[in-house]
């Protein structure tokens, strides 16, 4: 679809808006967004083109170490305030039906879900946004109590896919169809379909279009090949594996800077994330999931000129602690091969969180 005049208005405001994010100037960012609404831009254009586009830039600046995690958090908080302000200016009809939307247990990235919620409201849906990290049991209880037409689940990180599977199954048992979205489900929703969702949407606009096309065909059965026993065993050893890695690294995070820095208080969290990606790969029997994550993490290290030694040590510790887990061993072997080809330069900085 060719750009409209209001698309041009949004694009013209993009740099000024991003500058406001960079300065954490909440009021100016809100004024820009609401001013665009007054000038004729639609809610979707402001949320998807302005806020969504800016948030992608924020993520890339963090990933390439041009912004600190504090700058990223401040900009994201401003964007969340902008979404709330735009939503307050928009009144949907709520005549299409009821959608309950929430982030999976352990998933704290709420901004994508907030944007989707506001876009669906514009399209006439009543939307209840449950926020971050919703435990499956609490979600199911809510579905039984309120009986929505659809439940939408958001996942930003593939590490949460085992939890996603349990949530999807539990929600479907209430008779509620599940719409999945978020980068955590993989390119083109490759893992969403394996987990047996009723529908998957890559964008807020796609989610609105899918809801317009209900009822959906019955979902395909969840894919075969889930490695439940090995995943359960790995989960049982989680604390021991993390403790062994912390001891091996002498309290320094795999993403820590030079060793003249004090020990990193977040070392357990950083190691736990590596282990959670390994666990997700084991559960889904998808070695690429773990290897792709390690490749991304090695790139983050390289951008920060941080040493690879810490990251190299973690798969070694896991390898020793999971000697009787064949698929985990395969994932770790592939990961160690990938890391052997990575040669980041000398350390200069600390890990963001």
């Amino acid at each position: 679809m060719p750009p409209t005049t209001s698309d041009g208005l949004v694009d013209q405001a993009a740099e000024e808006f991003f500058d406001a994010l960079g300065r954490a100037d909440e009021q100016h960012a809100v004024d820009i967004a609401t001013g665009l609404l007054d000038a004729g831009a639609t809610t979707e254009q402001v949320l998807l083109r302005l806020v969504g586009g800016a948030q992608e830039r924020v993520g890339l600046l963090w990933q390439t170490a041009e912004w600190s995690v504090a700058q990223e958090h401040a900009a994201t908080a401003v964007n969340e305030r902008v979404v709330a302000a735009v939503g307050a200016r928009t009144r949907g009809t709520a005549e299409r039906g009821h959608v309950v939307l929430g982030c999976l247990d352990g998933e704290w990235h709420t901004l994508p879900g907030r944007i989707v919620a506001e876009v669906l409201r514009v399209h006439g849906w009543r939307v209840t946004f449950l926020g971050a990290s919703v435990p499956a049991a609490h979600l199911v209880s809510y579905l039984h109590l309120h009986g929505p037409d659809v439940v939408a689940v958001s996942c930003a990180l593939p590490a949460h896919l085992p939890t996603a599977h349990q949530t999807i199954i539990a929600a479907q048992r209430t008779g509620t169809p599940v719409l999945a979205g978020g980068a955590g489900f993989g390119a083109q929703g490759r893992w969403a379909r394996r987990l047996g969702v009723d529908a998957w949407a890559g964008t807020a606009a796609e989610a609105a279009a899918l809801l317009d096309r209900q009822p959906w065909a019955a979902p395909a059965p969840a894919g075969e090949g889930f490695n439940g026993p090995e995943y359960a065993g790995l989960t049982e050893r989680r604390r021991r594996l993390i403790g062994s890695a912390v001891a091996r690294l002498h309290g320094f995070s795999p993403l820590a800077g030079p060793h003249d820095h004090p020990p990193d208080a977040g070392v357990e969290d950083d190691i736990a994330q590596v282990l959670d990606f390994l666990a997700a790969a084991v559960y889904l029997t998808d070695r690429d999931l773990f290897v792709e994550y390690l490749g991304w993490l090695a790139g983050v290290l390289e951008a920060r000129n941080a040493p690879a030694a810490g990251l190299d040590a973690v798969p070694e510790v896991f390898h020793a602690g999971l000697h009787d887990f064949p698929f985990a061993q395969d994932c770790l072997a592939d990961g160690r091969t990938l890391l052997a080809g990575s040669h980041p330069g000398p350390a200069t900085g600390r890990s963001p969180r």
Side-chain angles (χ1 to χ4, degrees), residues 114-138:
R114 290 182 185 278
I115 291 174
V116 171
E118 295 303 332
V119 170
L120 295 184
R121 287 190 181 105
V122 170
H123 284 261
W125 294 89
R126 174 189 165 205
V127 182
T128 302
F129 182 55
L130 301 182
S133 192
V134 182
H138 293 200

Side-chain angles (χ1 to χ4, degrees), residues 236-258:
E236 189 274 331
R237 296 186 191 182
R238 189 174 192 273
R239 180 173 294 275
R240 189 189 325 163
L241 290 164
I242 293 172
S244 296
V246 170
R248 171 71 176 274
L249 294 170
H250 306 293
F252 287 88
S253 165
L255 293 180

Side-chain angles (χ1 to χ4, degrees), residues 98-100 126 128 130 138-149 176:
H98 184 196
V99 177
V100 167
R126 174 189 165 205
T128 302
L130 301 182
H138 293 200
L139 174 62
V140 167
S141 176
Y142 196 92
L143 298 181
H144 279 301
L145 186 62
H146 294 280
D149 299 284
T176 312

Side-chain angles (χ1 to χ4, degrees), residues 47-48 51-53 55-56 59 72 76-77 79-81 83-84 101-104 107-121 127 129-132 152-157 179-185 201-205 207-208:
L47 292 178
L48 302 182
V51 177
Q55 192 64 26
E56 286 184 15
E72 181 269 328
T76 300
N79 257 342
E80 288 178 340
R81 178 68 183 87
V83 172
L101 190 156
C103 300
L104 294 165
E107 178 59 71
W108 298 97
H109 296 81
T110 61
L111 183 60
R114 290 182 185 278
I115 291 174
V116 171
E118 295 303 332
V119 170
L120 295 184
R121 287 190 181 105
V127 182
F129 182 55
L130 301 182
V153 293
S154 174
C155 177
L157 297 175
L179 171 64
F185 286 106
T203 67

